Amino acid sequence: MTVRRVVVDHVLFVVADLNASRGLYTAALAPLGYEELYVQDDCVSYGAEDLDDFTICRGEPVTTAAHVAVSAEGRDAVDAFFAAAVANGATVRGEPGVWTQYSERYYAAFVNDLHQNNVEAVWHAPEPVVDAPRRPGVP
């Protein structure tokens, strides 16, 4: 298994409607093992094990057209992220599958959040994934 070094310490998106974005992100990140760690009047921070790696804050101008990929522990987590995100207001950008332009081990799903940010859940499989839809192209 590849050992990955942390490159980015944290990410913050500015949102227009904190309650709507909170509903989307809280539901979508839960299957990945991330929860609300800090809640303030204008911000919600998500992470695991006391590491708040992703934050949304109400304000202007809102973050648009950004991309963030969140690590998943397996295919089921990617699939659950996708289903929860779409059920809570995200739009489909790329359905779960193996994104072959990255690798035969790159199982991911992509959604657009409420501000058209590209939010991805990705699982780096230890071996090529052979029993999943193939997704050529860039989502």
Side-chain angles (χ1 to χ4, degrees):
M1 183 169 154
T2 302
V3 175
R4 297 178 55 91
R5 191 178 92 181
V6 174
V7 177
V8 175
D9 186 73
H10 61 277
V11 173
L12 185 148
F13 282 0
V14 178
V15 301
D17 183 335
L18 184 62
N19 289 333
S21 291
R22 180 182 184 185
L24 188 159
Y25 280 107
T26 298
L29 295 175
L32 305 177
Y34 305 112
E35 59 187 14
E36 294 181 359
L37 294 179
Y38 305 105
V39 178
Q40 300 170 314
D41 289 340
D42 59 348
C43 295
V44 178
S45 295
Y46 297 91
E49 301 174 21
D50 296 324
L51 299 173
D52 58 323
D53 297 326
F54 180 73
T55 300
I56 56 173
C57 291
R58 178 180 35 246
E60 291 183 15
V62 298
T63 304
T64 60
H67 174 67
V68 64
V70 182
S71 179
E73 293 294 320
R75 285 174 61 172
D76 290 344
V78 171
D79 295 347
F81 155 86
F82 182 79
V86 171
N88 284 278
T91 56
V92 175
R93 187 178 185 107
E95 293 185 8
V98 178
W99 292 85
T100 56
Q101 74 275 15
Y102 303 126
S103 148
E104 294 293 323
R105 300 182 305 112
Y106 199 98
Y107 187 88
F110 300 79
V111 297
N112 289 322
D113 75 359
L114 303 176
H115 298 295
Q116 300 305 303
N117 293 299
N118 177 353
V119 183
E120 169 189 1
V122 58
W123 173 54
H124 297 275
E127 297 187 15
V129 180
V130 297
D131 61 343
R134 315 313 269 176
R135 307 280 186 218
V138 176

